[in-house]
Amino acid sequence: MNKDHLNHPSFQRSWVEVDLTAIKNNLRSFGELMGSTTKVMPAVKADAYGHGAIAISRAALDVGCERLAVATVLEGEELRVAGINADIQILGSSLPDEIPVALHYDMTLGIHEIPAIKFINEEAKKQQKKAKVHLKVDTGMGRLGILPENILFAARNVDAASNLELEGLYMHLADASDESYSQSQLQRFRKAAEVLADVGIEVPLKHASSSTGAILFPDSRFDLIRPGAGVYGYHSPTWIGEFMPLEPALSWHSVVVQVKDYPPGLSLGYNRTFTTRRPTRIAVIPIGYGDGYLRSFSNHTDVLINGRRAPVVGMISMDYSMADVTGMDNISTGTDVTLIGRDGDEIITVEELADKGGTIPYIITTCLGRRPGRCYTITE
């Protein structure tokens, strides 16, 4: 039996559409903003923020990106197995058991603590490789990283390691919307780089900023930027859109699986959080928090059906949600539903869902599970 048809969106309970042209346009916009001296290294961690790491990585390479940033060795391995040959930067920590895999696939490792230097060098010797590493400086994020006062000692250890090459120095802005704190972090970072340069340790690549920092602070751009949310076309915080318009790339769709009419006074769903006050028509939608439609959306957000907003009512369960479609015509089993995206003149954005769900845009797309099928469009 030919099962190719099962990959078509119409055979999915819900499906995500990703516009690769929007991804490419956003990357081009960052490239134009950076000019010729700063390269764009898109963050494709967390399955490219739910958009699909392999497809997004290929799109990034199509528009001239030469490096990709991931959080873990496993994420980098996925790209290598898929045939992605670009430089892959591991931004996060790598466990000892992961180091051999990272070096086998020629990934660039981030170093967050001095003891890791010896371990990585020993593994590189075993594999007869020269491993590229970047030192992470904790300038005020207070998470991973080496404190500035210890960075010279760390760099000298790398310099003395026979099978390591110190390619990069990087940091993480804690709150890019806070200019004062960000500038204090950048000052510490520049000072750390100067300390190394003063003793003849040259570091080819320095990077500090993701999307917001790169847009707001030209002095944070250095040799590389690491845009994440901006690549996917949403702004966090939303006012960043005033400085750099970006194209949303993702939409999410489902279908109605049942339509039912209820009398007044009937409670619906788990925990009975919604009770009908009038004769009410309900459309049941086969998506829930098991698909990434957050439980916090319950009774707070809308879906789009036939170009109109329909409020989500009742508690969102693992597999199903309900929408009030009272007074709306031409709705039956199989009618399309838009959870994120445009239908007619109405649009539901990732930012809107984040606001109504009491969270941030990153979480909306990274929480998209395996159930929604992914399909990709190109409009250029």
Side-chain angles (χ1 to χ4, degrees), residues 238-249:
T238 55
W239 52 262
I240 293 297
E242 301 173 11
F243 296 87
M244 185 176 176
L246 296 164
E247 300 178 31

Side-chain angles (χ1 to χ4, degrees), residues 91-110:
L91 295 175
S93 61
S94 300
L95 299 173
D97 289 346
E98 296 174 317
I99 301 301
V101 178
L103 298 187
H104 171 75
Y105 284 111
D106 296 320
M107 301 178 204
T108 301
L109 286 162

Side-chain angles (χ1 to χ4, degrees), residues 23-25 27-28 58-65 380:
I23 297 288
K24 292 180 179 181
N25 288 341
L27 285 167
R28 290 187 185 106
R58 289 173 175 159
L61 300 182
D62 284 346
V63 295
C65 295
E380 55 188 0

